[in-house]
């Protein structure tokens, strides 16, 4: 069964940085376009970023552009999200998803002093 | 600023039929927006139901179907089961960008 597992979440102060990771198993990661999606507590889903299978194409939501960087390492079956200049409104569960049909269980990021 | 709009809440009786819709502030939703639908239950990750307007995943129950209806994307549940009570989200593609709707809380009562 295809699986994704996120890690790297935690508590960080406003203005701080955090790097999320997502490891894939039981599917051909290097052929999948990948996304990060987040969900603030009690709120709906928000698309954050997209990276193509070969890393040639990258997109960001306006809310994170210039602060977040998506990347991947196909040799390690891994997806990353480098987050900087974090704000309280970035507090959310962050999910990685493969073409939106495979989802991880999420990792919680809390931005608070 | 583009907004994707869903009904905030709907209620349906067990065995009934309900249609959820997904509208775009940019105009009529077409197949070119590649509408996707997801189900999310409390404490769980989203689960994909429909992609590219009408296509079901291998795990999608037959009672779920996707379509275009009156300029919107639509998700129809026929023969609703108690376990269908959940939040439902649509996703539209705007070129390279993706945007979720605000979600519909479906109550089966």
């Amino acid at each position: 069964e295809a699986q994704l597992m996120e890690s790297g979440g935690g508590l960080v102060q406003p203005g701080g940085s955090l790097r999320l990771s997502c490891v894939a198993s039981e599917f051909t990661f290097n052929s999948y376009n990948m996304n990060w999606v987040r969900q603030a507590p009690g709120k709906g889903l928000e698309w954050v970023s997209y990276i193509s299978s070969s890393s040639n194409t990258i997109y960001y939501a306006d809310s994170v552009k210039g602060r977040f960087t998506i990347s991947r390492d196909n040799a390690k079956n891994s997806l990353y999200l480098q987050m900087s200049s974090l704000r309280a409104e970035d507090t959310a569960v962050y999910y990685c998803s493969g073409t939106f049909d495979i989802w991880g269980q999420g990792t919680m990021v809390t931005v608070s002093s | 600023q583009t907004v994707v709009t869903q009904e905030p809440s709907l209620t349906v009786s067990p065995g009934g039929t309900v249609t959820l819709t997904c509208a775009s502030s940019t105009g009529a939703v077409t197949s070119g927006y590649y509408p996707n639908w997801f189900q999310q239950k409390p404490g769980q990750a989203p689960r994909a139901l429909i992609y590219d307007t009408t296509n079901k995943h291998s795990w999608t129950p037959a009672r779920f179907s996707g379509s275009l209806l009156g300029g919107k994307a639509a998700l129809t549940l026929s023969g609703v089961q108690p376990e269908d009570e959940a939040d439902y989200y649509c996703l539209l593609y705007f070129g390279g960008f993706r945007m979720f709707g605000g979600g519909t809380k479906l109550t089966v009562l």
Side-chain angles (χ1 to χ4, degrees), chain B residues 8-31:
Chain B
S9 63
L10 291 170
T11 300
V12 61
S13 299
T17 297
V18 63
T19 297
L20 291 63
T21 67
C22 176
S24 171
S25 62
T26 61
V29 176
T30 66
S31 58

Side-chain angles (χ1 to χ4, degrees), chain A residues 35 37 39 43-47 50 59-62 65 95 99-101 103-105, chain B residues 36 38 40 43-48 57 59 89 91 93 96-102:
Chain A
N35 295 270
V37 174
Q39 187 169 35
K43 303 296 185 182
L45 301 174
E46 180 187 12
W47 172 76
Y50 161 92
Y59 298 110
Y60 298 99
D62 288 346
K65 194 177 299 182
Y95 296 100
T99 324
F100 296 119
D101 55 350
W103 291 74
Q105 284 305 302
Chain B
N36 281 239
F38 304 87
Q40 187 180 36
Q44 296 183 15
R47 181 176 74 139
H57 293 281
W59 54 82
Y89 295 92
L91 173 76
Y93 285 61
F97 301 92
R98 291 96 167 106
M99 187 168 290
F100 286 95

Side-chain angles (χ1 to χ4, degrees), chain B residues 1-108:
Chain B
Q1 181 166 342
T2 301
V3 178
V4 177
T5 302
Q6 299 181 241
E7 297 86 1
S9 63
L10 291 170
T11 300
V12 61
S13 299
T17 297
V18 63
T19 297
L20 291 63
T21 67
C22 176
S24 171
S25 62
T26 61
V29 176
T30 66
S31 58
Y33 287 83
Y34 305 101
N36 281 239
W37 289 92
F38 304 87
Q39 178 191 66
Q40 187 180 36
K41 295 183 177 180
Q44 296 183 15
R47 181 176 74 139
L49 293 173
I50 301 289
Y51 64 99
D52 294 351
T53 309
T54 62
N55 295 294
K56 300 179 185 183
H57 293 281
S58 59
W59 54 82
T60 303
R63 62 185 179 273
F64 290 86
S65 63
S67 65
L68 295 176
L69 193 65
K72 301 178 183 180
L75 176 70
T76 298
L77 288 70
S78 304
V80 172
Q81 301 297 308
E83 61 264 29
D84 297 333
E85 183 163 292
D87 293 328
Y88 291 84
Y89 295 92
C90 66
L91 173 76
L92 300 180
Y93 285 61
F94 296 89
F97 301 92
R98 291 96 167 106
M99 187 168 290
F100 286 95
T104 295
K105 182 176 184 60
L106 183 66
T107 300
V108 181

Side-chain angles (χ1 to χ4, degrees), chain A residues 27-98:
Chain A
F27 69 98
T28 310
F29 178 75
N30 60 15
S31 65
Y32 269 72
N33 301 324
M34 299 295 295
N35 295 270
W36 285 100
V37 174
R38 68 185 181 182
Q39 187 169 35
K43 303 296 185 182
L45 301 174
E46 180 187 12
W47 172 76
V48 173
S49 185
Y50 161 92
I51 186 168
S52 63
S53 59
S54 60
S55 302
N56 285 346
T57 303
I58 286 174
Y59 298 110
Y60 298 99
D62 288 346
S63 57
V64 306
K65 194 177 299 182
R67 301 187 299 120
F68 289 12
T69 302
I70 191 172
S71 63
R72 64 190 295 162
D73 184 338
N74 286 343
K76 295 183 178 180
N77 287 341
S78 294
L79 174 73
Y80 306 101
L81 186 68
Q82 178 68 48
M83 306 185 295
S84 60
S85 301
L86 283 162
R87 308 165 179 167
E89 54 264 36
D90 295 318
T91 294
V93 173
Y94 285 73
Y95 296 100
C96 63
S97 177

Side-chain angles (χ1 to χ4, degrees), chain A residues 1-5 22-29 32 34 76-78 102:
Chain A
E1 179 186 352
Q3 289 190 354
L4 292 167
M5 181 170 294
C22 170
V23 177
S25 59
E26 305 301 328
F27 69 98
T28 310
F29 178 75
Y32 269 72
M34 299 295 295
K76 295 183 178 180
N77 287 341
S78 294
I102 307 169

